[in-house]
Amino acid sequence: MTFCEYKPGLEGIPATQSSISYVDGQKGILEYRGINIDELAKSSNFLETSYLLIWGGLPTKDELAEFEHEIRYHRRLKYRIRDMMKCFPESGHPMDALQACAAALGLFYSRRALDDPAYIRAAVVRLLAKIPTMVAAFQLMRKGNDPVQPRDDLDYSANFLYMLNEQEPDELAAHIFDVCLTLHAEHTINASTFSAMVTASTLTDPYAVIASAVGTLAGPLHGGANEEVITMLEEIGSVENVRPYLDGCLQRKAKIMGFGHRVYKVKDPRAIILQNLAEQLFEKFGRDDYYDIAVELETAVEERLGHKGIYPNVDFYSGLVYRKLGIPTDLFTPVFAIARVSGWLAHWKEQLAENRIFRPTQIYTGARNASYVPIEQRQSTHDRALLASLIAE
Ligand code: SDX
């Protein structure tokens, strides 16, 4: 088959066959392994959902207990990873720290036995167990504190919040955080998952797969948007300023962060649940100053851009939930990564099961048969003043 039409961003082009998750972007439906996200948010928890995504079915009681036990056992970081983290600049972005730490795991577990189920299981467990510890450790270390050791009596989500805030979390807070992880765990072939699949297709190690996905998630058009949403709400500052701010963005053709989606043409089902979770938290712990601004912005964007199918996506309300849980703004995207590790791992396994290296084609638009010009005869194609100022920077 020859496919010659170029689609920027590969819009609408299937990159794989997958049985992990399903999205209906017109109706606002998301399912993991056929189970609706609303049902999982209500009845499951993050580790059970991760098991479902990665191993293909819901675990029995014993299988889940064993999985949770393995993860608990592997939460601690090697002291050399902690030492490496001490050298990171405290001003560095936590996503960069996380990407470096995920890649560094490959140094410690360098065996590459992709056809050994025990190796696959160990990699899944290690990554799910250690990524939250890395995020929490970086947060404490950049404040000049020692990282807090994981607590074996706390479950996955409660333990993360404990390691981050150095105190045992409120029960509702820990539950809501866990639901957030479930909601972010998987989402078909988004950019970071695609990146994970491409990396996996070379048969490299799983730590490189996750590191490349973390790097991809960090961008503001993808997972990084949750952090940008808070900056935007801060900039808007008041409900009265919502419409003037929106007008300004539309005039400049700037994107409104947390809105729009390649697949959803209605409000993201995860945003509906997240908004509800935010409201539950506000009821118990007080309303967030930015919430009224956010709701007004949603109304205004719907009026102006609803006809184009631009509605809140997963990143719009998640930040308001995380703020109430005491999570610093620049950790919002690492928290997204903690959750998405399970989706990335599910796609890694699926890719390995029927692997063929990704190697698409291109439509070449450059010169052909150009001649090599000797250096003395070349004309500079750069703006020399601009170049000088860049070099001086
Ligand atoms: C995630 O893919 C996934 O599944 C991702 C994700 C996951 O779980 O993995 O759901 C997580 O990444 C959510 C998205 C977070 N990003 C943002 O919130 C950033 C703001 N949104 C966008 O830049 C944009 O909507 C994207 C990146 C999400 C989607 O980009 P597309 O599909 O390439 O769409 P586009 O930029 O080509 O826009 C199409 C039209 C344009 O208008 P026209 O030129 O056709 O008139 O919609 C407009 C755009 O200008 N548009 C927006 C807009 N998003 C799209 N206009 C204003 N504000 C926006 N946010």
Side-chain angles (χ1 to χ4, degrees):
M1 181 185 72
T2 319
F3 194 90
C4 280
E5 195 190 349
Y6 166 55
K7 293 276 208 166
L10 300 183
E11 180 170 2
I13 301 195
T16 191
Q17 300 192 88
S18 178
S19 62
I20 301 169
S21 62
Y22 169 81
V23 172
D24 182 329
Q26 300 297 333
K27 295 192 182 134
I29 294 171
L30 168 61
E31 293 170 358
Y32 295 168
R33 301 278 186 193
I35 306 176
N36 194 288
I37 193 68
D38 294 292
E39 206 176 332
L40 289 167
K42 247 183 252 135
S43 311
S44 187
N45 62 50
F46 175 65
L47 281 189
E48 183 185 65
T49 297
S50 299
Y51 190 103
L52 168 73
L53 290 166
I54 297 167
W55 309 111
L58 285 168
T60 62
K61 215 172 167 185
D62 287 349
E63 285 167 342
L64 182 60
E66 198 182 341
F67 190 49
E68 282 172 348
H69 174 76
E70 283 174 83
I71 286 177
R72 241 171 253 254
Y73 182 77
H74 283 281
R75 280 171 180 169
R76 280 171 181 71
L77 298 180
K78 287 193 182 288
Y79 79 88
R80 288 190 186 193
I81 296 262
R82 294 203 304 271
D83 282 356
M84 177 185 90
M85 291 174 85
K86 279 188 197 147
C87 303
F88 292 171
E90 57 273 16
S91 57
H93 197 284
M95 278 301 268
D96 294 328
L98 182 59
Q99 189 183 23
C101 290
L105 286 178
L107 293 162
F108 295 95
Y109 310 105
S110 55
R111 196 169 73 95
R112 209 178 273 162
L114 299 175
D115 52 357
D116 176 358
Y119 173 88
I120 303 280
R121 175 88 176 195
V124 163
V125 165
R126 268 189 214 117
L127 280 157
L128 279 168
K130 292 186 194 303
I131 294 272
T133 315
M134 289 168 173
V135 174
F138 182 69
Q139 168 63 9
L140 293 198
M141 286 161 94
R142 71 178 168 170
K143 290 196 294 187
N145 299 343
D146 284 333
V148 170
Q149 288 300 319
R151 251 183 52 190
D152 288 347
D153 60 322
L154 295 177
D155 69 22
Y156 193 83
S157 290
N159 176 59
F160 172 70
L161 292 176
Y162 162 73
M163 290 188 299
L164 190 69
N165 297 323
E166 301 179 85
Q167 60 181 37
E168 211 175 303
D170 168 87
E171 214 174 298
L172 176 72
H175 168 69
I176 286 184
F177 182 72
D178 195 78
V179 179
C180 289
L181 295 185
T182 301
L183 296 175
H184 285 81
E186 157 65 7
H187 209 243
T188 72
I189 311 303
N190 57 84
S192 56
T193 299
F194 188 40
S195 169
M197 286 163 52
V198 172
T199 310
S201 81
T202 68
L203 301 183
T204 186
D205 68 73
Y207 310 102
V209 169
I210 298 304
S212 68
V214 170
T216 309
L217 185 70
L221 293 185
H222 192 11
N226 57 12
E227 183 180 336
E228 304 278 331
V229 166
I230 297 299
T231 313
M232 175 183 72
L233 296 176
E234 209 166 60
E235 238 174 271
I236 296 175
S238 70
V239 171
E240 295 68 44
N241 194 34
V242 164
R243 281 157 205 277
Y245 178 91
L246 180 60
D247 288 342
C249 289
L250 295 179
Q251 261 161 27
R252 296 195 311 276
K253 293 195 182 310
K255 294 279 162 56
I256 324 298
M257 288 293 137
F259 285 86
H261 200 277
R262 176 65 63 79
V263 185
Y264 291 119
K265 298 305 159 204
V266 293
K267 187 167 176 177
D268 188 324
R270 300 166 296 176
I272 297 171
I273 305 173
L274 283 161
Q275 184 173 7
N276 182 274
L277 295 177
E279 285 173 358
Q280 284 181 45
L281 282 174
F282 300 158
E283 221 165 87
K284 181 156 186 189
F285 302 106
R287 210 171 164 83
D288 187 292
D289 294 346
Y290 294 156
Y291 186 56
D292 292 339
I293 302 175
V295 171
E296 181 68 7
L297 184 61
E298 179 178 346
T299 308
V301 171
E302 184 175 343
E303 284 166 16
R304 303 288 301 273
L305 298 172
H307 67 282
K308 284 194 193 176
I310 312 280
Y311 288 90
N313 60 48
V314 68
D315 288 329
F316 190 59
Y317 286 108
S318 60
L320 293 178
V321 175
Y322 298 151
R323 260 164 71 89
K324 217 54 238 169
L325 296 174
I327 299 173
T329 310
D330 65 357
L331 290 191
F332 294 176
T333 318
V335 164
F336 190 156
I338 289 174
R340 190 52 63 85
V341 166
S342 66
W344 294 330
L345 289 169
H347 285 272
W348 169 60
K349 267 188 82 239
E350 191 174 69
Q351 182 63 37
L352 292 182
E354 281 202 46
N355 191 54
R356 191 165 185 215
I357 191 168
F358 276 94
R359 199 339 183 159
T361 189
Q362 61 169 12
I363 294 171
Y364 179 64
T365 60
R368 294 286 323 280
N369 297 319
S371 43
Y372 179 83
V373 181
I375 198 161
E376 0 4 279
Q377 293 169 25
R378 290 177 210 161
Q379 302 282 328
S380 174
T381 50
H382 291 289
D383 175 338
R384 298 198 63 76
L386 178 68
L387 203 61
S389 73
L390 288 176
I391 291 166
E393 255 178 31

